[in-house]
Amino acid sequence: MPSKLINPEVLGAPSGYSHGVSVPAGQLLFIAGQIAVDKDNRIVSDDFVEQFDRALANVMVVLNAGGGRPEDVTRMVIYVTDKVEYRNHSREIGKRYQRYMGK
């Protein structure tokens, strides 16, 4: 069985990539880097925490569309472009992360 591309409609159409790829051998799902965009590929806010929340929500959409759950995630890499903003908002970011991923 070939790999299956995962592109949920609520995330908008990707250009040059897929939001996720499900690999039947071993039931693996690889999720492309997600950013804080809505269905029309517009950045949702200038607020750092809101951007983090939307990017993680987009990850969850792809995860669910691929048949996965937060407890199935084995590795997630989070890239930030402003370490000071990240540190200044780490408590709120942690709350948003727990809301989606649990403890």
Side-chain angles (χ1 to χ4, degrees):
M1 178 183 272
S3 299
K4 178 181 176 187
L5 302 180
I6 307 293
N7 290 305
E9 288 183 22
V10 298
L11 294 185
S15 178
Y17 67 98
S18 289
H19 290 292
V21 178
S22 177
V23 181
Q27 297 178 327
L28 299 174
L29 173 63
F30 298 92
I31 300 175
Q34 297 296 310
I35 59 175
V37 294
D38 62 15
K39 183 176 182 173
D40 298 319
N41 289 320
R42 291 180 297 215
I43 298 291
V44 295
S45 173
D46 290 334
D47 181 78
F48 189 85
V49 175
E50 292 303 317
Q51 287 186 9
F52 177 86
D53 186 88
R54 176 49 75 101
L56 192 52
N58 290 348
V59 168
M60 294 298 109
V61 168
V62 179
L63 180 65
N64 292 331
R69 302 166 304 191
E71 56 268 23
D72 297 326
V73 174
T74 57
R75 181 172 188 247
M76 184 184 314
V77 177
I78 299 171
Y79 292 100
V80 296
T81 58
D82 189 329
K83 193 173 9 176
V84 173
E85 281 286 307
Y86 180 78
R87 285 183 177 157
N88 288 342
H89 296 90
S90 62
R91 177 166 280 146
E92 184 61 28
I93 288 168
K95 288 177 184 177
R96 303 285 178 108
Y97 182 89
Q98 286 183 359
R99 183 171 62 192
Y100 291 104
M101 299 296 293
K103 291 187 179 190

